[in-house]
Amino acid sequence: MTSYTDESAARTLIVRTARSLFGRGLTHGSTGNLSVRLADGSLLLTPTGSSLGTVEEAELSRTGPDGRHLDGPRPTKEAFLHAAFYRSRPGAQAVVHLHSTHAAAVSCLDGLDPANALPPLTAYYAMRVGTLPLLPYHAPGDDALEPLAERTARSHHAVLLANHGPVVAGASLEQAADAIEELEETARLHLLLRGHATRPLTPEQAAALAPASP
């Protein structure tokens, strides 16, 4: 498990990861937000209204574990989601939330299983994501979602927000980013295969690959 003891290095990592996600089309405009948990328990987050393609290290926000703003610009309006995941998952050191195209598209489909929005089409999805609960629609920034997110995060490190996008926690920022990218690729496969007979992994095969809990 990664512990972010050096705030300067953590800022560099957040910006590098943000640039990578934006540059590869995994988020757009001023959507998406990243955070890491520092060794003192405070959270370092991308600020509200920022683009992951242009955010700078000095522009990051810092909040307490309770979400209280400590310094820097105002944090993302979805900071409460990050705080909810950290409270529920003691091993999580990073959270990534994106509006990636294919995962967002899946989140708009009718008839999804709220307990698991995507089938385990590949071994890497089963390893990095596992099951993906669908949380009901709330407007962006609506903190009424916080208690539901906190309860769900106790047993799942990844969720899909209806008509919105995915949120993934990890033991490091690299792990969370890898998992959310795998989720996006599986969503793309799922949409490409609609109308075709598919053969997902069996429950036994998926369970054998289930990710360790961060």
Side-chain angles (χ1 to χ4, degrees), residues 128-185:
R128 291 178 176 161
V129 179
T131 56
L132 183 68
L134 177 72
L135 302 191
Y137 175 76
H138 289 70
D142 181 357
D143 61 9
L145 178 59
E146 185 171 3
L148 175 58
E150 185 170 349
R151 287 195 303 272
T152 307
R154 290 173 191 151
S155 52
H156 297 85
H157 75 287
V159 302
L160 186 62
L161 309 179
N163 303 85
H164 193 157
V167 185
V168 177
S172 68
L173 186 54
E174 295 91 342
Q175 186 184 93
D178 282 348
I180 208 165
E181 187 167 357
E182 194 67 45
L183 193 161
E184 168 66 6
E185 285 302 301

Side-chain angles (χ1 to χ4, degrees), residues 7 20 56 94 96 107 149 163 183 196:
E7 182 176 336
S20 175
E56 301 287 350
V96 178
S107 81
N163 303 85
L183 193 161
H196 297 271

